Amino acid sequence: MFHIDDAEINHIRENADIVEIVSSYIPLTQKGKNFFGVCPFHNDHAPSMSVSSEKGIFKCFSCGATGNVFKFVSDFENISFVEAVQKIAEKVGITLKSQIVTKKAKKNSLEYQIMDFSSLFFQNNLMTEKGLTALNYLKSRALDEDTIKEFQIGLSFSSNSLYELLKTKKYENKTLVNLGLINQNGLNFHDIFVHRIMFPIHNINGETVGFTGRIYQKDSTPPKYLNSKESYIFKKGNILFNFHRAKDAIRIAKKVILVEGNMDAIRMYSVGIKNTIALMGTSLTSYQIQELKKLRVPIVLMFDNDSAGNIATYQNGNLLEKEGMNVSVVRLSGEKDPDDYIIKNGVEKIQNNIKNAISFLEFKLSYLKQNKNLQDSEDLANYIKEVLENMKDTTDPILKEITLKKLSEDYGVSLVTLKEELEKIRKNEQIEVKITPKEESQNKNAKSADSIHHILYFMMNDPKYILMYKSKLGYFKDANYRGLANEILAYYEIHKTINLADFLTYAESSKLKEEIYKITTSIKDENINEQIMEEYIVAVRKKMKEQEIKELKEQQKQELDENRKLNIAMRIQALKKEV
């Protein structure tokens, strides 16, 4: 792990103009003291992100994303905090003095070692005389040696060749079986992958976690493709094939192309369309969706040209759209998949298809027409209702207007009627909630938490608010908030000052990191002054006293000694006066 001294990090931040760094990623426009741009961390249409050179922070007033220059680069490029510090140091011409410290032992390092060793064994097999038939097959599929090496494609031999080799390395049979490399039959062990071309599967860090084996001989035993079984290092739903290679290309291209099969991704990558990754199944998992969401780029779905591919496009597109992601679609014609399409038509034609990708909404309009006779009034009415149902979550007002006008013109339905129907569908989605006494109580607690959040936020911004907290409040009853206040106090004692940008750097190594970012994200109003701080302190003191009264009343009920009961009653009365 690369450790960078706090003082060095602060020196880098002070020399990095956050406006200059952020504007190298997104366009910014100056309004008064601050600069504004379209927030890259949510589906933003109007400039809602403010960047302050004076404070050294960015903040989105819509989604709440906030942080200093390191946080912005880390989140935008989907890299670690330390990588962001290194990148910014390079940008501002500062050479890091910090040293590399010893790396901690990686979890499951033995398992990764076994998988890497097996992958090298398969790769070596392919380049031997016995691998010539498989190598010629790959070349007949227009895969050159550079691509074969890039994707570490290999070959499995007879039923015991891998097992016999792994035995010489003294690896335990149980581990080999758990990794899905070996099968056990009674006391006998044999390879799972036999006479197959082997495609290694990597996780997001580029570590080999599994394999896909493909038959290549006409008399081979099905299935055509055989995947590793799931293990503690290989969870199919956590993997997107080629993701580790494609990350940089995705950032450069500012879009990601999602295909169905491994060979589709390999083919696209080999012809220069390197921002391509493949599903490990037909349906995206929530984990995969979140990984895609972190990229913050539009997604182009390019699935197989068959009915299953059509369904997969509709289902996965809906999942992505619900997460507020920008989705477009390419439906290839003439060939089954991108691999065959490129072999038959060449790279230029598929690039043209990508340039002319249709919006996901446009795809849905076409998809929903399937098996409907739009000359029939009932089918037409059902079709329009389905389209409107699919439009209810659309946030793009221009796309919505164009779609409604198209429906109106194509099918002779009044635009006013369509808009009214869409509004009805949206309203039906909203459930009216009546506030019960319990919910009112929760609402009061939420207001109290909001006051505490503001106090802590003020303390992170200026030492004078730390002093106000110490003299007028001193502590919070809640242990988490008290812990965070103590973190701020400790930081102030060491540095004799505080500002939000530097404290957010400190937060990266704090146990309360998530709580700190939660608070800075939750504050929408940045109007900071001593009078407002005083109001929040009064509100929190009042809440604490009310809580103490409640606790004393419970204690009074349990107390048997009359004198003690009287003392408690007097304490309650005194607190009520203070409240």
PDB file of all heavy atoms in Angstrom, residues 119 177 180 183 313 452 459 495 498:
ATOM      1  N   SER A 119      -3.892 -20.868 -15.494  1.00  0.00           N
ATOM      2  CA  SER A 119      -4.038 -20.089 -16.723  1.00  0.00           C
ATOM      3  C   SER A 119      -2.759 -20.147 -17.566  1.00  0.00           C
ATOM      4  O   SER A 119      -2.814 -20.319 -18.792  1.00  0.00           O
ATOM      5  CB  SER A 119      -4.378 -18.636 -16.379  1.00  0.00           C
ATOM      6  OG  SER A 119      -4.548 -17.871 -17.550  1.00  0.00           O
ATOM      7  N   VAL A 177     -10.850 -28.545  -5.771  1.00  0.00           N
ATOM      8  CA  VAL A 177     -12.267 -28.869  -6.024  1.00  0.00           C
ATOM      9  C   VAL A 177     -13.123 -27.624  -5.781  1.00  0.00           C
ATOM     10  O   VAL A 177     -14.012 -27.293  -6.577  1.00  0.00           O
ATOM     11  CB  VAL A 177     -12.733 -30.046  -5.133  1.00  0.00           C
ATOM     12  CG1 VAL A 177     -14.244 -30.232  -5.220  1.00  0.00           C
ATOM     13  CG2 VAL A 177     -12.022 -31.331  -5.538  1.00  0.00           C
ATOM     14  N   GLY A 180     -13.253 -25.164  -8.537  1.00  0.00           N
ATOM     15  CA  GLY A 180     -13.919 -25.568  -9.767  1.00  0.00           C
ATOM     16  C   GLY A 180     -12.958 -25.965 -10.874  1.00  0.00           C
ATOM     17  O   GLY A 180     -13.314 -25.931 -12.053  1.00  0.00           O
ATOM     18  N   ASN A 183     -12.732 -32.192 -10.395  1.00  0.00           N
ATOM     19  CA  ASN A 183     -13.890 -32.937  -9.889  1.00  0.00           C
ATOM     20  C   ASN A 183     -13.416 -34.125  -9.085  1.00  0.00           C
ATOM     21  O   ASN A 183     -12.377 -34.734  -9.417  1.00  0.00           O
ATOM     22  CB  ASN A 183     -14.756 -33.437 -11.048  1.00  0.00           C
ATOM     23  CG  ASN A 183     -16.020 -32.616 -11.187  1.00  0.00           C
ATOM     24  OD1 ASN A 183     -16.427 -31.919 -10.265  1.00  0.00           O
ATOM     25  ND2 ASN A 183     -16.660 -32.685 -12.349  1.00  0.00           N
ATOM     26  N   THR A 313     -32.348  -7.106 -24.007  1.00  0.00           N
ATOM     27  CA  THR A 313     -32.187  -5.654 -24.183  1.00  0.00           C
ATOM     28  C   THR A 313     -33.267  -4.901 -23.411  1.00  0.00           C
ATOM     29  O   THR A 313     -32.986  -3.933 -22.696  1.00  0.00           O
ATOM     30  CB  THR A 313     -32.259  -5.277 -25.678  1.00  0.00           C
ATOM     31  OG1 THR A 313     -31.247  -5.988 -26.392  1.00  0.00           O
ATOM     32  CG2 THR A 313     -32.060  -3.783 -25.879  1.00  0.00           C
ATOM     33  N   ILE A 452     -28.024  18.651  14.639  1.00  0.00           N
ATOM     34  CA  ILE A 452     -26.693  18.121  14.983  1.00  0.00           C
ATOM     35  C   ILE A 452     -25.801  18.100  13.746  1.00  0.00           C
ATOM     36  O   ILE A 452     -24.619  18.466  13.807  1.00  0.00           O
ATOM     37  CB  ILE A 452     -26.808  16.710  15.604  1.00  0.00           C
ATOM     38  CG1 ILE A 452     -27.551  16.787  16.950  1.00  0.00           C
ATOM     39  CG2 ILE A 452     -25.432  16.079  15.796  1.00  0.00           C
ATOM     40  CD1 ILE A 452     -27.931  15.438  17.538  1.00  0.00           C
ATOM     41  N   MET A 459     -18.691  23.116  12.424  1.00  0.00           N
ATOM     42  CA  MET A 459     -17.418  22.860  13.117  1.00  0.00           C
ATOM     43  C   MET A 459     -16.321  22.448  12.128  1.00  0.00           C
ATOM     44  O   MET A 459     -15.151  22.782  12.327  1.00  0.00           O
ATOM     45  CB  MET A 459     -17.599  21.774  14.180  1.00  0.00           C
ATOM     46  CG  MET A 459     -18.412  22.204  15.389  1.00  0.00           C
ATOM     47  SD  MET A 459     -18.879  20.798  16.425  1.00  0.00           S
ATOM     48  CE  MET A 459     -17.291  20.324  17.121  1.00  0.00           C
ATOM     49  N   HIS A 495      -3.854  20.536  14.680  1.00  0.00           N
ATOM     50  CA  HIS A 495      -3.525  21.487  13.609  1.00  0.00           C
ATOM     51  C   HIS A 495      -3.768  22.952  13.987  1.00  0.00           C
ATOM     52  O   HIS A 495      -3.342  23.849  13.255  1.00  0.00           O
ATOM     53  CB  HIS A 495      -4.333  21.142  12.355  1.00  0.00           C
ATOM     54  CG  HIS A 495      -4.051  19.774  11.822  1.00  0.00           C
ATOM     55  ND1 HIS A 495      -2.943  19.474  11.063  1.00  0.00           N
ATOM     56  CD2 HIS A 495      -4.733  18.594  11.948  1.00  0.00           C
ATOM     57  CE1 HIS A 495      -2.956  18.195  10.735  1.00  0.00           C
ATOM     58  NE2 HIS A 495      -4.032  17.635  11.266  1.00  0.00           N
ATOM     59  N   ILE A 498      -8.913  24.534  11.148  1.00  0.00           N
ATOM     60  CA  ILE A 498      -9.679  23.536  10.401  1.00  0.00           C
ATOM     61  C   ILE A 498     -10.344  24.210   9.206  1.00  0.00           C
ATOM     62  O   ILE A 498     -10.721  25.383   9.274  1.00  0.00           O
ATOM     63  CB  ILE A 498     -10.757  22.854  11.291  1.00  0.00           C
ATOM     64  CG1 ILE A 498     -11.276  21.579  10.626  1.00  0.00           C
ATOM     65  CG2 ILE A 498     -11.898  23.802  11.610  1.00  0.00           C
ATOM     66  CD1 ILE A 498     -12.129  20.694  11.540  1.00  0.00           C
TER      67      ILE A 498
END
